[in-house]
């Protein structure tokens, strides 16, 4: 086959780049790039031509660029590096690096947020809005699930509203020895006006009134461990859907106005993990898989 036909064939199969490489190699072998310089020199000349004909390669990076604000590691105002910078040392001989290391949290906090069970919606006021028979059964199932997890629970905190208090007391039967603590900050309410807005649900309280209280509850209970804490903790908080959904948005640094976009079953378990570094993970959201389908409600 002639040189011209060979070149045309390669162009058809491999494109122009291959033709350039082939033509350059052939031309070099015929001495078109200069006088014959021996076998070794000719081989290096071909290598240089082949290398120059290859397309430039750039490393491929698969890390996507952030489209929103970055993670704020001082979201709970407990970042040790920030705290130590503004703290006066007790002595001039104190090592600042040692001080900062001693102030670093070393334990992880696990917070299990439980939505109260089904209750009597037609009751007049909080005292009459007690759990229904199905609601009490749901609380039993939630207590059994928490016991089956085999975790060492440190405390069981609950909203002071009747439906949350009853749910917490039923659950406590399955985790004996765990202290019960009532907290008014955890009462149900409207944390912030939802986006997008809704017309079918109008809160009785003003947003800024409930919002301040629920935000105060968030700051009290959702934060990284104290530096003095040596072991991981598991804390149970029995409260309400609006409070839990707002806590999740705030803890994950999502827009808090999106709290109403999530739905939670009665007696469900939402599990937040807060690492010593300030990282937060949502392990489960509204888990109710331990309940039979005919026991699931969202009232």
């Amino acid at each position: 086959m002639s040189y011209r036909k060979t070149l045309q064939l390669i162009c058809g199969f491999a494109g122009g780049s291959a033709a350039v490489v082939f033509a350059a190699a052939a031309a070099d072998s015929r001495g078109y790039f200069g006088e014959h310089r021996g076998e070794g020199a000719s081989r290096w000349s071909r290598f240089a031509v082949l290398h120059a004909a290859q397309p430039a390669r750039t490393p491929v990076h698969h890390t996507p660029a952030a489209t929103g604000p970055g993670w704020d590691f001082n979201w709970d105002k407990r970042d040790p590096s920030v705290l130590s910078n503004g703290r006066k040392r007790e002595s001039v001989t104190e090592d600042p690096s040692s001080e900062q290391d001693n102030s670093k949290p070393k334990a992880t906090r696990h917070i299990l947020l439980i939505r109260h069970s089904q209750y009597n919606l037609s009751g007049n006021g909080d005292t009459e809005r007690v759990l229904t028979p199905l609601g009490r059964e749901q609380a039993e199932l939630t207590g059994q699930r928490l016991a089956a997890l085999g975790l060492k629970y440190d405390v069981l905190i609950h909203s002071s509203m009747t439906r949350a208090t009853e749910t917490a007391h039923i659950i406590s039967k399955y985790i004996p020895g765990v202290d019960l603590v009532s907290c008014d900050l955890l009462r149900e309410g409207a944390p912030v006006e939802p986006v997008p807005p809704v017309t079918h649900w109008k809160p009785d309280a003003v947003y800024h009134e409930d919002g301040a209280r629920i935000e105060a509850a968030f700051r009290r209970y959702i934060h990284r461990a104290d530096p003095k804490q040596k072991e991981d903790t598991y804390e149970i908080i029995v409260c309400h859907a609006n409070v839990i959904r707002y806590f999740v948005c705030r803890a994950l640094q999502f827009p808090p106005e999106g709290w109403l976009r999530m739905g939670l079953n009665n007696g469900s378990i939402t599990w937040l993990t807060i690492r010593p570094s300030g990282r937060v993970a949502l392990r489960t959201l509204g888990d109710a898989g331990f309940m039979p389908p005919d026991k699931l409600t969202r009232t």
Side-chain angles (χ1 to χ4, degrees):
M1 183 182 295
S2 68
Y3 170 78
R4 183 183 302 275
K5 290 184 178 180
T6 303
L7 179 58
Q8 291 176 346
L9 180 63
I10 293 177
C11 286
F13 282 105
S17 295
V20 171
V21 173
F22 179 84
D28 181 65
S29 66
R30 297 186 180 186
Y32 293 154
F33 289 133
E35 59 182 1
H36 295 286
R37 293 161 288 175
E39 186 66 25
S42 178
R43 184 178 304 137
W44 281 110
S45 175
R46 294 184 193 123
F47 176 80
V49 172
L50 291 172
H51 180 74
Q54 298 301 312
R57 294 184 179 180
T58 57
V60 179
H61 300 284
H62 297 286
T63 304
T67 57
W71 180 262
D72 177 14
F73 279 93
N74 194 32
W75 61 272
D76 59 351
K77 308 305 178 187
R78 294 172 183 244
D79 188 332
S81 63
V82 176
L83 292 175
S84 61
N85 288 339
R87 186 182 301 140
K88 184 178 180 181
R89 283 183 289 167
E90 296 181 358
S91 66
V92 294
T93 59
E94 186 177 349
D95 184 1
S97 61
S98 175
E99 177 189 7
Q100 182 173 334
D101 185 69
N102 292 333
S103 65
K104 288 182 178 180
K106 301 175 177 60
T108 295
R109 295 185 66 219
H110 298 271
I111 303 172
L112 288 84
L113 301 164
I114 313 297
R115 188 191 177 193
H116 61 78
S117 302
Q118 185 191 65
Y119 68 101
N120 176 26
L121 288 169
S122 60
N124 294 320
D126 177 60
T127 57
E128 294 185 9
R129 293 174 181 173
V130 297
L131 298 184
T132 64
L134 175 57
R136 289 191 290 272
E137 189 174 354
Q138 290 171 339
E140 299 277 354
L141 292 169
T142 303
Q144 294 170 16
R145 173 59 175 172
L146 291 171
L149 291 175
L151 303 174
K152 182 182 177 181
Y153 301 108
D154 297 89
V155 66
L156 198 168
I157 306 166
H158 61 86
S159 159
S160 57
M161 298 187 82
T162 300
R163 54 189 181 271
T165 301
E166 287 187 334
T167 301
H169 279 270
I170 294 174
I171 290 174
S172 68
K173 298 188 305 181
Y174 295 92
I175 49 174
V178 179
D179 293 336
L180 272 75
V181 178
S182 179
C183 179
D184 283 334
L185 294 178
L186 293 167
R187 296 172 68 87
E188 182 65 302
V192 64
E193 188 170 0
V195 176
V198 293
T199 57
H200 65 277
W201 181 74
K202 295 291 184 181
D204 296 329
V206 180
Y207 284 113
H208 73 268
E209 293 178 356
D210 282 353
R213 172 178 54 79
I214 296 173
E215 173 64 19
F218 174 83
R219 298 185 185 188
R220 173 178 292 187
Y221 296 114
I222 312 299
H223 55 77
R224 77 192 76 190
D226 187 272
K228 297 179 181 180
Q229 182 177 319
K230 303 301 180 183
E231 298 181 355
D232 295 353
T233 55
Y234 295 86
E235 304 164 43
I236 302 172
I237 298 179
V238 180
C239 54
H240 310 269
N242 297 352
V243 177
I244 294 172
R245 293 183 284 193
Y246 179 78
F247 280 9
V248 169
C249 288
R250 286 280 283 109
L252 297 180
Q253 300 186 25
F254 293 162
E257 295 82 5
W259 62 274
L260 199 53
R261 304 172 199 171
M262 295 177 280
L264 299 174
N265 289 324
N266 294 112
S268 62
I269 301 173
T270 296
W271 187 336
L272 284 172
T273 296
I274 306 176
R275 300 296 182 188
S277 64
R279 293 181 181 272
V280 181
L282 179 63
R283 299 187 63 166
T284 62
L285 175 66
D287 176 25
F290 50 88
M291 293 188 186
D294 60 335
K295 305 298 181 184
L296 297 176
T297 62
R298 289 193 180 185
T299 57

